[in-house]
Amino acid sequence: MKITSVDPADVPAPWAYTNGALVEDARRLLFVSGQIPVTADDQVPPDFPAQCRLAWQNVLSVLKGADMTVENLVKVTVYLSDRRYRGENSAIRKEVLGDHCPALTIIITGIYDEAWLLEIEAVAAA
């Protein structure tokens, strides 16, 4: 399988993401439901950095369950409860993904549970 970034010169330059992710020769697709900042024993961390890392940990666990890693991510959507978290969100995303830059959308919106400050969904291919 091959994932190629598609970043034409006539669209805004991406920062830590790609405008398009072209997937070739994939045999498996994984659609990761919105992962929330809740532990397996139903605990919610009190602050954004801890919640963000936990939501990403949950995404990584689902990927691992399908024998995939962050390198298989093609598209990520992050739902933030408040735009004030966008800087921390970007920094933690880069920490988790390293040099891998999938297509990305960030949406500021109300989240299902008021205790949750974000939710992350993704699509991966292998």
Side-chain angles (χ1 to χ4, degrees), residues 8 10 18 21 28 34 49 59-60 65 67 75 87 94 97-98 100 117:
D10 60 344
T18 184
R28 299 183 301 134
V59 170
L60 297 177
D67 295 320
K75 175 70 167 91
K94 287 182 72 173
L97 299 182
H100 185 64
L117 302 176

Side-chain angles (χ1 to χ4, degrees), residues 50-102:
Q51 285 197 22
C52 189
R53 286 185 177 90
L54 178 56
W56 273 112
Q57 179 183 327
N58 293 342
V59 170
L60 297 177
S61 292
V62 175
L63 289 171
K64 183 178 180 182
D67 295 320
M68 295 184 186
T69 69
V70 295
E71 296 296 319
N72 295 99
L73 288 173
V74 177
K75 175 70 167 91
V76 172
T77 303
V78 178
Y79 300 90
L80 296 177
S81 65
D82 194 303
R83 74 178 13 92
R84 69 182 165 175
Y85 300 125
R86 64 186 181 191
E88 288 175 296
N89 175 65
S90 293
I92 293 168
R93 185 182 71 251
K94 287 182 72 173
E95 172 187 307
V96 171
L97 299 182
D99 291 333
H100 185 64
C101 296

